[in-house]
């Protein structure tokens, strides 16, 4: 029996995490109600969740509810969650539920967690690869796709957990054995209400035994210094000092968990470039905090393959124009890292900026731009920044509302601006949901359009 047995729990949201939370709660003996604004999503659960009450559109918890488990994207100000808080009913997320259920086990799993504005999925994938090279029963879970509660119930011993700011907000008691903060830049400000609240949510990753942070990011460095963790470990793209990980003479070097040990050649890290190296340093620090030997770090990083839509070269056409899909660059911070990998770019950008500023990005990276093709709901914001900071850069702002194949029009416009040796780069600096189902859909549309217009080279 668990502490949840016999309690009435409301699950807010019938998506992937909501379904997994409901299944876990049923297994724990709870009485479960699931609500969602979409009757269709609820109906899809009828054959999957026997014994669960499905109620569409609740705006306050049913009588007798003792706990609400919310999907991460639900804001605290939503009517249902605000009503729960007003009634004194605790609201947590699926990650917090997994943590609490894990603490009731005789031998809880180890949590190695990572967050940041960018690079989370790459880092957690690298970490999983390193842990598996060391023979650990490890799995990447959380925001990467597999709900943490599913990994817990499957009995996995080491959890490489990717956590978004939303998930961290709803996980007040999670204390990972080691937690890494990669970077911080404006993102999800519309959800959190400002940069301070966003940073505070991210900083929860640094409350476990070992806190790890990127020293080259001033905000991260400040949060790491303020952490109350038992051990604080920094990583840098420069040569590391004592107690840090960094880079020297083309090698990742550990001076935190070893005296001064070269672990892996930078040239063998994928994705290449500074963001990939920083992610590898973070993954290495997390793995070393768990006690992984240097050989497994090297084997794991050399074996790792980046996921799709992250700085993927689609093709080089007959005129020597490169086409690169970095649809995962869903905020300005990520787009800057993508742009800096190339000298001359026709930039495809736009979508939902979610309150983030593009002024600094455009000002610092304007010299790289051959041209820009702008799409999506907030394209005019980027157009205004280009007019201010890069008035000589040709800009095509496309209204694609009535287009039969929007991305085909986008790539065709980019081709017209590009010259031999240029890179046509999809690095939108914005979310995709105004035009596409997600960043993967956007990236695949770009890839398909490029292949059609270049003859499938």
């Amino acid at each position: 029996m668990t502490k949840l047995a016999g309690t009435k729990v409301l699950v807010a949201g019938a998506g992937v995490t909501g379904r997994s939370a409901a299944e876990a709660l049923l297994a724990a003996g709870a009485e479960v109600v699931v609500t969602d604004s979409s009757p269709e999503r609820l109906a899809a659960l009828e054959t999957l969740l026997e014994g669960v009450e499905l109620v569409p559109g609740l705006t306050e918890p049913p009588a007798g509810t003792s706990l609400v488990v919310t999907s991460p994207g639900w804001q605290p100000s939503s009517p249902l969650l605000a009503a729960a808080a007003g009634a004194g009913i605790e609201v947590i997320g699926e990650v917090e539920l997994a943590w609490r259920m894990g603490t009731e086990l005789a031998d809880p799993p180890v949590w190695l967690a990572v967050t940041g504005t960018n690079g989370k999925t790459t880092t957690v994938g690298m970490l999983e690869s390193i842990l598996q090279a060391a023979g650990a029963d490890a799995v990447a879970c959380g925001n990467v796709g597999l709900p943490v509660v599913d990994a817990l119930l499957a009995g996995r011993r080491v959890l490489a957990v990717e956590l978004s700011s939303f998930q961290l907000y709803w996980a007040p008691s999670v204390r990972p054995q080691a937690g890494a903060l990669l970077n911080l830049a404006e993102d999800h400000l519309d959800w959190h209400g400002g940069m301070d609240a966003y940073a505070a949510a991210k900083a929860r990753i640094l409350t476990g035994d070992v806190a790890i942070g990127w020293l080259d990011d001033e905000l991260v460095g400040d949060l790491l210094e303020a952490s109350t963790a038992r051990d604080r470990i920094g990583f840098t793209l420069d040569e590391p000092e004592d107690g840090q990980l960094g880079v020297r003479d083309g090698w990742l070097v550990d001076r935190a968990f070893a005296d001064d040990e070269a672990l892996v050649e930078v040239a063998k890290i994928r994705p290449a470039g500074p963001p990939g190296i920083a992610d590898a340093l973070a993954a290495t620090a997390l793995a070393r905090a768990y006690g992984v030997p240097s050989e497994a770090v090297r084997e794991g990083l050399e074996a790792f393959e980046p996921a799709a839509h992250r700085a993927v070269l689609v093709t080089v056409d007959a005129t020597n124009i490169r086409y690169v899909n970095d649809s995962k660059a869903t905020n300005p911070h990520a787009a800057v890292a993508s742009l800096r990998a190339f000298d001359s770019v026709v930039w495809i950008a736009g979508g939902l900026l979610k309150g983030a500023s593009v002024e600094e990005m455009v000002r610092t990276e304007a010299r790289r731009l051959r041209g820009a093709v702008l799409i999506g709901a907030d394209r005019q914001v980027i157009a205004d920044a280009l007019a201010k900071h890069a008035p000589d850069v040709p800009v095509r702002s496309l209204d694609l509302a009535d287009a039969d194949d929007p991305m085909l029009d986008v790539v065709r416009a980019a081709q017209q601006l590009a010259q031999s040796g240029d890179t046509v780069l999809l690095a939108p600096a914005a979310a995709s949901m105004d035009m596409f189902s997600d960043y993967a859909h956007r990236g695949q549309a770009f890839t398909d359009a490029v292949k059609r217009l270049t003859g499938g080279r």
Side-chain angles (χ1 to χ4, degrees), residues 67-234:
L67 179 69
V68 175
V69 178
T70 180
S71 294
W74 285 45
Q75 292 182 267
S77 60
S78 65
L80 175 60
L81 302 189
I89 300 171
E90 186 179 20
V91 181
I92 65 172
E94 171 266 332
V95 171
E96 177 76 10
L97 176 67
W99 176 262
R100 295 184 185 186
M101 293 180 70
T103 61
E104 295 186 31
L105 300 176
D107 187 17
V110 171
W111 287 51
L112 305 174
V114 60
T115 194
T117 303
N118 300 301
K120 297 184 294 296
T121 300
T122 297
T123 301
V124 84
M126 289 174 167
L127 176 59
E128 179 188 54
S129 184
I130 293 169
L131 291 167
Q132 292 177 352
D137 178 19
V139 66
C141 56
N143 197 53
V144 71
L146 175 68
V148 185
V149 74
D150 286 355
L152 175 80
L153 295 181
R156 305 308 287 265
R157 301 306 310 138
V158 186
L159 308 183
V161 189
E162 176 186 333
L163 295 176
S164 70
S165 59
F166 306 154
Q167 289 170 315
L168 284 162
Y169 180 91
W170 293 118
S173 63
V174 170
R175 300 291 183 268
Q177 177 172 318
L181 179 54
L182 303 178
N183 45 61
L184 275 176
E186 289 184 343
D187 199 18
H188 303 302
L189 302 189
D190 51 349
W191 196 98
H192 289 281
M195 188 64 185
D196 288 346
Y198 173 64
K202 290 290 193 184
R204 287 186 172 181
I205 204 85
L206 304 176
T207 58
D209 294 336
V210 181
I212 297 163
W214 189 28
L215 300 176
D216 299 355
D217 185 312
E218 185 176 351
L219 289 174
V220 173
D222 290 344
L223 290 172
L224 181 63
E225 185 176 357
S227 168
T228 58
R230 182 195 67 208
D231 298 314
R232 292 175 291 178
I233 305 297

Side-chain angles (χ1 to χ4, degrees), residues 147-449:
V148 185
V149 74
D150 286 355
L152 175 80
L153 295 181
R156 305 308 287 265
R157 301 306 310 138
V158 186
L159 308 183
V161 189
E162 176 186 333
L163 295 176
S164 70
S165 59
F166 306 154
Q167 289 170 315
L168 284 162
Y169 180 91
W170 293 118
S173 63
V174 170
R175 300 291 183 268
Q177 177 172 318
L181 179 54
L182 303 178
N183 45 61
L184 275 176
E186 289 184 343
D187 199 18
H188 303 302
L189 302 189
D190 51 349
W191 196 98
H192 289 281
M195 188 64 185
D196 288 346
Y198 173 64
K202 290 290 193 184
R204 287 186 172 181
I205 204 85
L206 304 176
T207 58
D209 294 336
V210 181
I212 297 163
W214 189 28
L215 300 176
D216 299 355
D217 185 312
E218 185 176 351
L219 289 174
V220 173
D222 290 344
L223 290 172
L224 181 63
E225 185 176 357
S227 168
T228 58
R230 182 195 67 208
D231 298 314
R232 292 175 291 178
I233 305 297
F235 63 94
T236 174
L237 294 179
D238 295 327
E239 184 167 339
E241 299 177 0
D242 287 341
Q244 300 176 0
L245 291 89
V247 179
R248 184 179 65 229
D249 298 330
W251 285 76
L252 261 60
V253 176
D254 183 0
R255 297 187 65 187
F257 303 95
D259 288 338
D260 192 346
E261 187 173 7
L263 300 174
V264 63
E265 289 183 87
V266 167
K268 295 183 179 179
I269 293 172
R270 295 179 302 277
I277 298 168
D279 295 343
L281 285 163
T284 298
L286 288 163
R288 297 290 266 179
Y290 178 62
V292 169
S294 56
E295 295 81 4
V297 172
R298 176 182 54 77
E299 291 173 13
L301 288 177
E302 290 182 358
F304 174 72
E305 293 290 344
H309 312 295
R310 293 170 176 82
V312 176
L313 175 63
V314 178
T315 193
V316 181
D317 71 13
T319 62
N320 196 34
I321 296 172
R322 296 162 56 92
Y323 296 82
V324 174
N325 169 19
D326 199 3
S327 183
K328 186 61 172 64
T330 56
N331 55 62
H333 188 268
V336 167
S338 191
L339 286 164
R340 287 179 178 174
F342 309 101
D343 293 327
S344 184
V345 174
V346 176
W347 181 33
I348 299 173
L352 294 172
L353 289 169
K354 301 175 293 182
S357 172
V358 299
E359 289 281 334
E360 183 66 11
M361 170 184 63
V362 172
R363 186 186 67 79
T364 58
E365 307 309 316
R367 62 184 179 83
R368 303 177 188 277
L369 301 181
R370 173 80 69 186
V373 179
L374 306 181
I375 62 175
D378 291 334
R379 65 186 182 276
Q380 189 58 46
V381 177
I382 303 175
D384 291 344
L386 285 164
K388 178 179 178 181
H389 299 291
D392 296 331
V393 172
V395 175
R396 305 287 186 270
S397 183
L398 304 183
D399 182 353
L400 300 168
D402 298 322
D404 294 330
D405 190 338
M407 197 57 84
L408 199 67
D409 293 347
V410 171
V411 175
R412 186 177 288 114
Q415 279 184 325
Q416 294 168 356
L417 293 173
Q419 299 179 19
S420 179
D422 288 348
T423 298
V424 171
L425 174 65
L426 175 67
S432 57
M433 287 77 75
D434 55 333
M435 293 178 61
F436 304 93
S437 58
D438 53 27
Y439 75 82
H441 178 205
R442 178 172 60 189
Q444 190 59 54
F446 173 77
T447 298
D448 293 344

Side-chain angles (χ1 to χ4, degrees), residues 11 13-23 36 41 45 49 71-72 94 142 145-150:
V11 175
V16 173
T17 58
R19 184 182 71 187
S20 293
E23 290 174 340
D36 195 284
R41 279 197 294 268
L45 297 185
L49 295 175
S71 294
E94 171 266 332
L146 175 68
V148 185
V149 74
D150 286 355

